[in-house]
Amino acid sequence: MVAWLALGVLGGCGFQLRGEQKYNFDSIHVNAPQNGPVAQDLRRMLGERVREPAQVRLDILNEQREKTVVGVNATGQVREFQLRIRVSFRLRNARGQDLILDSELLQSRDISFNESAVLAKEAEEVVLYRDMQADLVQQMLRRLAAVPSANPHASQR
């Protein structure tokens, strides 16, 4: 009974689960010079839309992973790192017109460090990078879904 009431309340407020993204293009080419993990995930998530010839071209301009020290103890030993992934990209139509101007997305996570658990911390770092990468891919997919049209003259009558 409580579950049905909760569903009714959520449905009444306009809540709905996120469905499959709708895009205003049928085909896309993902161009990444270093063929990085973000580009691979994007290709996988876009599925059959990734093909040639394409209505739009997504250029991954830069994909960079960074690891910086953000905390040390009194003896100068590292206690905390910050992990970052930066991705720069743009989207153009088949005629080379910008649909999304050069943009940069950044994800960062802090991770503590303990020299007595190096292997565990390395495994945690891998998981955090994978999580940030998944977040970046989802942000990019939402931006691709927000593009009005791959053909700028489609809305003109």
Side-chain angles (χ1 to χ4, degrees), residues 58-79:
L58 177 66
D59 294 316
I60 307 288
L61 306 170
N62 185 27
E63 180 178 337
Q64 184 177 3
R65 291 177 180 231
E66 303 168 357
K67 181 178 180 179
T68 57
V69 175
V70 293
V72 293
N73 65 14
T75 61
Q77 294 176 315
V78 174
R79 288 292 170 218

Side-chain angles (χ1 to χ4, degrees), residues 137-155:
V137 167
Q138 288 302 314
Q139 286 181 43
M140 292 176 77
L141 291 173
R142 285 191 296 274
R143 288 189 183 198
L144 291 174
V147 171
S149 175
N151 180 0
H153 302 294
S155 62

Side-chain angles (χ1 to χ4, degrees), residues 14-45:
F15 174 82
Q16 66 181 25
L17 292 174
R18 210 181 266 172
E20 184 179 337
Q21 294 280 7
K22 305 287 186 223
Y23 302 100
N24 289 317
F25 53 85
D26 295 322
S27 59
I28 184 170
H29 172 74
V30 179
N31 179 45
Q34 71 271 22
N35 205 18
V38 170
Q40 291 174 359
D41 278 0
L42 276 167
R43 286 186 189 103
R44 185 177 50 78
M45 296 296 288

